[in-house]
């Protein structure tokens, strides 16, 4: 598969009165055609900022790309002018934002908001755009599309609004769909519907999805590959199976262990102590070290490089170094890994 | 005698309309809810947004007026208490959903946590400070926090401040309204573990309101599932999760994303089955007005809203 998007050593900073906040501190990843990449992390880990850098929606001039390249189909789009970006956004790369209540224009009919992109990017006539809009509304599962198109966002329920936002994002058959916590504001039953809808549409249109979330349950449901971000860096990346069955980074262990699941009954949750570091003065060495109960001495002095675990799986922790002591993941995480593995025979425990 | 007993609670909000602003209709936010809970247990109230779970919690603590019904706490009738009998209220406290808006940004942590103490207990400045420091230690915040303002804390820390305020008067019952849904997963686990610890240490009883069934299962002993202001099912954790009877409960349980990627296909399949069943049998489970029927016991602990005939 060809690489649709390549991000190389991207660094994004924000200028504030108290100094420079390093939100993203050098990340590399790529996205292939038709795949779903999930970026997971806590608030403040830089996951949303990364996607905003890709779409050039950073609040300039405070937020800026310090270094790095973003290659979209081989072209470095960090050098694009605003005009070029406008063409790209909506047509090739589009975004579904977290909150459907605020991402729609309350004074504009829903149909018109969807048709806007069609008329602008695909040069459709009004009549054509209307027809396509009805088609899109039906695609995202909004009944009575012809009637709905003349309604305003406040006449839609939360789930319906998010469907309308998905329809806008899909209007121009984008090559990349960025979904920034698209279901966080929704109820569980509606969340399940929206996730399935996005997967169906992806299959139909063969677009790639970048899925930003902090909910690992959602990740397990949708992602082909997962990148775990912490303090502005990708600390572990791999296929969904790599991350869930064979996680290597202590932060990933913590994330997996802290999720109450339906199987974890009475046991204490494996909480990650403390809180994320201050990005004004990122700590020296491994940023996760102060919260890491498995931290080694070297963690406070030197940042760990990416160690390769397998062809698809990389993790940035000194624990993978050949001289590092062999440390097993905490019991609760191990139990989970075993639980996962027992349901699946073809997986090896160690890679 | 149950510790807290709610009998046929109704909370209706009037809808004003017409040129004279007369009451034209009512929104039945809570429409006949009954449950009881034992001391030291955690009771979960679950439902989608708009199902009336928060309103039920607020009516118990007196933030919403009950239209009808009776709430008995420890043998006292506390339905719609007047200010004068506020004494019982001391023993019931609430933790709110959003730690970003439930703390006054203009007040220092000392004043936030001391506020309930100032209302109920006459303490000298030193005593008050001592109590606040004790509380901060209990919730795991440093003593320097006392002069800081809410914006200087992270979400998880703020929620701890909210908890410190809630336990300042040594309450017996705490109503926690989605206390972790605004927090990140890693921090969520900290707060949940901590809530369990103080429950044990202080012998607290919780009413835990939420929509995340993973969290609910982890925390609760008994669960009530609400839909449009009424109960559709009530039972122990095992009743609800291993043997859901009502179609609405089944749908909720099916919608939980499974953390295991290998189960993806099965889960979609199961979800579609349940969705189909939901659409087909909706009329069997809900009355003509789209509301749930009354609860019928199917075992000693397990109640399900089923139609009269059967």
């Amino acid at each position: 598969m060809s690489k649709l998007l390549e991000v190389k050593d991207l660094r994004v900073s924000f200028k504030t009165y108290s100094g420079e906040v390093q939100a993203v501190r050098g990340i590399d990843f790529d996205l292939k055609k038709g795949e779903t990449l999930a970026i997971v992390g806590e608030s403040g880990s830089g996951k949303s900022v990364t996607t905003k850098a890709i779409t050039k929606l950073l609040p300039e001039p405070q937020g800026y790309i310090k270094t790095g390249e973003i290659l979209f189909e081989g072209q470095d789009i960090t050098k694009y002018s605003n005009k070029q970006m406008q063409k790209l956004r909506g047509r090739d790369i589009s975004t579904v934002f977290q909150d459907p209540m605020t991402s729609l224009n309350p004074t504009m009919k829903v149909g018109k908001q969807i048709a806007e992109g069609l008329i602008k990017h695909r040069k459709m006539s009004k009549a054509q755009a209307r027809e396509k809009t009805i088609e899109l509304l039906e695609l995202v599962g909004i009944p009575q599309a012809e009637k709905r198109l003349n309604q305003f966002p406040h006449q839609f329920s939360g789930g319906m609004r998010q469907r309308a936002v998905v329809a806008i994002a899909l209007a121009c058959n984008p090559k990349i769909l960025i979904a920034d916590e698209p279901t966080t504001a929704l109820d569980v039953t509606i969340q399940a519907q929206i996730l399935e809808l996005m997967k169906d549409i992806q299959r139909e249109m063969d677009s790639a999805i970048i899925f930003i979330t902090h909910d690992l349950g959602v990740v397990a449901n949708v992602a082909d590959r997962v990148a775990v971000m912490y303090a502005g860096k990708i600390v572990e990346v791999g296929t969904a199976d790599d991350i869930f069955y064979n996680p290597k980074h202590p932060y990933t262990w913590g994330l997996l262990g802290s999720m109450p699941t339906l199987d974890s009954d009475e046991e204490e949750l494996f909480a990650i102590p403390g809180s994320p570091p201050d990005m004004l003065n990122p700590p020296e060495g491994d940023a996760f070290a102060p919260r890491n109960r498995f931290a080694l001495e070297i963690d406070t002095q030197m940042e760990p490089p990416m160690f390769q675990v397998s062809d698809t799986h990389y993790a940035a922790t000194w624990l993978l170094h050949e001289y590092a002591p062999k440390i097993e993941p905490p019991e609760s995480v191990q139990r989970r890994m075993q639980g996962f593995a027992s349901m699946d025979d073809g997986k090896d425990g160690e890679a | 005698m149950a510790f807290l007993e709610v009998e046929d609670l109704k909370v209706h909000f009037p809808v004003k309309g017409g040129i004279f602003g007369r009451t034209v209709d009512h929104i039945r936010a809570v429409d006949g809810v009954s449950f009881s809970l034992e001391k030291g247990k955690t009771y979960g109230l679950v439902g989608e947004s708009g199902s009336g779970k928060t309103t039920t919690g607020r009516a118990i603590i007196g933030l919403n007026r009950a239209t009808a019904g009776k709430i008995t706490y420890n043998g006292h009738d506390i339905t719609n208490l007047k200010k004068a009998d506020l004494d019982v209220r001391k023993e019931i406290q609430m933790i709110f959903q959003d730690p970003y808006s439930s703390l006054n940004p203009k007040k220092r942590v000392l004043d936030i946590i001391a506020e309930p103490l100032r209302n109920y207990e006459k303490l000298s400045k030193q005593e008050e400070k001592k109590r606040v420091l004790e509380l901060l230690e209990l919730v795991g915040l440093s003593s320097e926090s006392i002069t800081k303002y809410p914006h200087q804390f992270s979400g998880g820390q703020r929620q701890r401040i909210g908890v410190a305020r809630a336990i300042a008067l040594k309450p017996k019952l705490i109503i926690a309204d989605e206390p972790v849904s605004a927090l990140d997963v890693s921090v969520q686990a900290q707060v949940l573990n901590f809530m369990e610890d103080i429950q044990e240490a202080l012998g607290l009883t919780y009413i835990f309101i939420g929509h995340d069934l993973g969290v609910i299962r982890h925390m609760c002993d008994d669960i009530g599932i609400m839909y449009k202001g009424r109960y559709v099912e009530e039972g122990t954790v095992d009743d609800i999760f291993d043997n859901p009877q009502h179609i609405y409960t089944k749908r909720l349980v099916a919608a939980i994303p499974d953390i295991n990627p290998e189960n993806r296909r099965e889960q979609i399949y199961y979800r579609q089955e349940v969705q189909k069943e939901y659409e087909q049998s909706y009329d069997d489970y809900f009355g003509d007005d789209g509301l749930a029927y009354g609860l019928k016991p199917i075992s000693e602990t397990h109640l399900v809203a089923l139609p009269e005939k059967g």
Side-chain angles (χ1 to χ4, degrees):
Chain A
M1 271 195 287
S2 61
K3 284 175 185 171
L4 192 57
L5 184 81
E6 247 183 298
V7 174
K8 289 184 186 166
D9 193 37
L10 179 71
R11 289 168 195 270
V12 184
S13 290
F14 290 86
K15 283 181 207 139
T16 64
Y17 287 117
S18 33
E20 175 192 334
V21 176
Q22 303 173 23
V24 175
R25 302 187 297 148
I27 59 168
D28 301 83
F29 66 88
D30 50 46
L31 183 71
K32 296 175 194 77
K33 208 170 169 234
E35 81 168 344
T36 305
L37 171 74
I39 303 182
V40 197
E42 294 174 75
S43 25
S45 60
K47 51 194 197 310
S48 287
V49 173
T50 305
T51 63
K52 290 211 167 106
I54 294 171
T55 48
K56 253 197 179 177
L57 288 174
L58 290 168
E60 283 170 341
Q62 294 93 342
Y64 62 100
I65 297 175
K66 221 167 130 189
T67 60
E69 290 182 337
I70 300 169
L71 302 177
F72 174 71
E73 294 185 322
Q75 299 268 346
D76 186 1
I77 58 173
T78 54
K79 306 222 163 51
Y80 271 27
S81 67
N82 274 341
K83 216 166 182 185
Q84 283 173 304
M85 273 317 286
Q86 267 174 19
K87 270 195 187 149
L88 203 68
R89 282 194 297 252
R91 195 187 60 193
D92 294 322
I93 305 177
S94 57
T95 313
V96 176
F97 294 99
Q98 175 169 5
D99 188 358
M101 315 291 168
T102 51
S103 53
L104 287 169
N105 183 341
T107 63
M108 206 169 164
K109 284 177 184 165
V110 172
K112 203 172 166 197
Q113 298 189 44
I114 299 171
E116 216 180 11
L118 293 169
I119 294 167
K120 178 141 176 57
H121 293 298
R122 292 174 72 181
K123 309 276 180 280
M124 285 189 177
S125 70
K126 272 195 175 168
Q128 279 174 317
R130 191 186 137 88
E131 216 137 277
K132 179 76 189 166
T133 305
I134 295 175
E135 208 176 286
L136 280 165
L137 284 175
E138 275 162 4
L139 179 74
V140 297
I142 296 182
Q144 294 175 292
E146 261 172 81
K147 204 177 111 199
R148 285 297 200 164
L149 139 131
N150 284 321
Q151 288 184 340
F152 288 94
H154 72 264
Q155 290 163 298
F156 280 49
S157 69
M160 284 292 169
R161 269 182 237 183
Q162 196 60 305
R163 280 164 196 259
V165 174
V166 173
I168 294 174
L170 292 171
C172 299
N173 296 342
K175 293 182 180 132
I176 301 175
L177 179 67
I178 297 174
D180 191 353
E181 310 224 9
T183 56
T184 311
L186 304 173
D187 277 322
V188 262
T189 47
I190 297 159
Q191 166 176 313
Q193 289 168 16
I194 297 275
L195 291 180
E196 245 134 70
L197 167 78
M198 289 182 51
K199 274 190 290 180
D200 285 346
I201 290 169
Q202 178 181 33
R203 234 168 280 141
E204 221 159 280
M205 298 190 169
D206 200 29
S207 37
I209 298 182
I210 299 180
F211 207 102
I212 311 281
T213 181
H214 63 257
D215 187 337
L216 286 172
V218 171
V219 174
N221 257 265
V222 299
D224 301 316
R225 285 199 303 137
V226 183
V228 181
M229 274 189 87
Y230 185 77
K233 292 203 156 197
I234 292 179
V235 295
E236 185 160 9
V237 59
T239 62
D241 288 346
D242 291 336
I243 300 292
F244 283 93
Y245 297 106
N246 190 23
K248 289 294 182 195
H249 198 284
Y251 180 63
T252 316
W253 296 344
L255 280 183
L256 286 169
S258 60
M259 264 211 37
T261 61
L262 298 183
D263 316 316
S264 71
D265 258 359
E266 291 306 314
E267 68 203 64
E268 176 117 320
L269 295 170
F270 177 78
I272 305 173
S275 46
D278 179 7
M279 299 313 288
L280 259 172
N281 318 296
E284 223 170 286
D286 184 356
F288 185 58
R291 299 175 74 187
N292 184 0
R293 68 178 77 168
F294 308 105
L296 308 171
E297 206 162 297
I298 188 167
D299 277 324
T300 55
Q301 293 150 15
M302 243 172 103
E303 236 171 289
M306 273 282 179
F307 288 94
Q308 184 167 13
V309 182
S310 72
D311 282 349
T312 52
H313 190 181
Y314 296 83
T317 164
W318 285 116
L319 293 178
L320 291 170
H321 194 271
E322 52 182 320
Y323 296 141
K326 289 277 159 279
I327 283 175
E328 293 295 316
E331 211 185 311
S332 62
V333 176
Q334 271 190 25
R335 208 172 315 124
R336 266 175 214 209
M337 286 161 62
Q338 279 162 11
F340 294 152
S342 66
M343 295 181 200
D344 169 50
D345 305 315
K347 289 269 153 357
D348 297 318
E350 288 300 312
Chain B
M1 164 108 230
F3 184 58
L4 179 83
E5 199 153 355
V6 176
E7 286 168 74
D8 202 27
L9 176 72
K10 288 183 183 171
V11 181
H12 294 180
F13 296 109
V15 179
K16 308 270 185 192
I19 31 175
F20 300 112
R22 273 183 298 214
T23 303
V24 288
D25 201 358
H26 285 94
I27 293 189
R28 295 174 170 79
V30 179
D31 200 25
V33 160
S34 307
F35 63 89
S36 63
L37 76 151
E38 298 303 324
K39 206 166 174 181
K41 297 271 184 189
T42 304
Y43 189 90
L45 272 179
V46 188
E48 288 177 69
S49 28
S51 59
K53 53 191 194 306
T54 298
T55 311
T56 306
R58 289 173 63 95
I60 293 170
I61 199 171
L63 289 172
N64 284 131
R65 236 189 127 68
T67 311
K70 193 174 169 199
I71 303 164
T72 321
Y73 166 80
N74 220 354
H76 306 280
D77 182 356
I78 57 161
T79 329
N80 299 331
L81 273 191
K82 298 259 164 40
K83 270 233 160 95
D85 335 284
L86 277 175
D87 270 333
V88 199
R89 291 272 181 254
K90 230 173 98 172
E91 300 183 2
I92 310 176
Q93 290 291 329
M94 193 149 181
I95 301 172
F96 295 94
Q97 175 170 6
D98 185 358
Y100 295 91
S101 61
S102 60
L103 303 175
N104 187 339
K106 291 195 240 167
K107 282 187 173 175
R108 291 173 303 168
V109 169
L110 172 70
D111 299 312
I112 291 172
I113 299 178
E115 191 173 353
L117 295 171
R118 288 174 190 163
N119 286 342
Y120 284 100
E121 287 173 30
K122 299 267 172 292
L123 295 174
S124 70
K125 278 262 180 285
Q126 281 87 8
E127 279 175 323
E128 186 184 284
K129 196 170 168 195
K130 204 173 133 237
R131 282 281 290 279
V132 173
L133 284 173
E134 279 168 16
L135 287 164
L136 281 176
E137 200 190 323
L138 194 63
V139 298
L141 290 173
S142 67
S143 53
E144 301 109 67
S145 316
I146 205 160
T147 51
K148 288 189 184 170
Y149 289 88
H151 72 264
Q152 292 168 292
F153 294 91
S154 69
Q157 288 172 323
R158 285 183 205 211
Q159 201 57 303
R160 283 163 191 261
I161 298 171
V163 172
R165 176 175 62 183
I167 58 176
L169 291 167
K170 303 195 174 73
K172 300 204 168 75
L173 173 66
I174 287 187
I175 299 170
D177 186 3
E178 310 219 16
V180 293
S181 43
L183 305 175
D184 274 319
V185 261
S186 69
V187 180
Q188 181 176 316
Q190 286 174 17
V191 174
L192 291 179
N193 282 343
F194 158 72
M195 281 181 67
E196 280 181 328
D197 292 344
I198 59 165
Q199 174 167 41
E200 214 164 286
L202 306 177
L204 295 171
T205 309
Y206 285 136
I207 294 180
F208 200 99
I209 299 169
H211 66 259
D212 184 334
L213 289 172
V215 173
I216 291 283
R217 175 163 204 177
H218 185 81
M219 293 295 289
C220 299
D221 301 300
D222 298 292
I223 299 172
I225 311 265
M226 286 185 77
Y227 177 72
K228 287 193 181 168
R230 293 195 186 175
Y231 262 36
V232 295
E233 193 158 353
E234 186 191 26
T236 62
V237 167
D238 295 338
D239 289 339
I240 298 289
F241 284 96
D242 300 338
N243 185 23
Q245 288 297 317
H246 199 280
I247 185 66
Y248 181 74
T249 317
K250 282 188 199 166
R251 190 159 165 254
L252 270 186
V253 174
I256 309 165
D258 193 322
I259 197 170
N260 191 344
E262 286 296 320
N263 291 347
R264 255 182 231 186
R265 196 147 305 155
E266 279 165 55
Q267 227 204 338
I268 294 174
Y269 183 70
Y270 176 58
R271 212 175 276 159
Q272 281 163 351
E273 286 284 285
V274 171
Q275 184 64 25
K276 214 185 285 165
E277 198 188 336
Y278 181 76
E279 276 156 23
Q280 278 168 3
S281 58
Y282 185 87
D283 293 339
D284 302 341
Y285 284 96
F286 295 101
D288 297 334
D289 44 3
L291 295 174
Y293 295 102
L295 289 175
K296 306 265 175 323
I298 62 164
S299 78
E300 243 169 68
T301 50
H302 196 171
L303 300 154
V304 187
L306 293 171
E308 293 296 331
K309 45 193 185 287

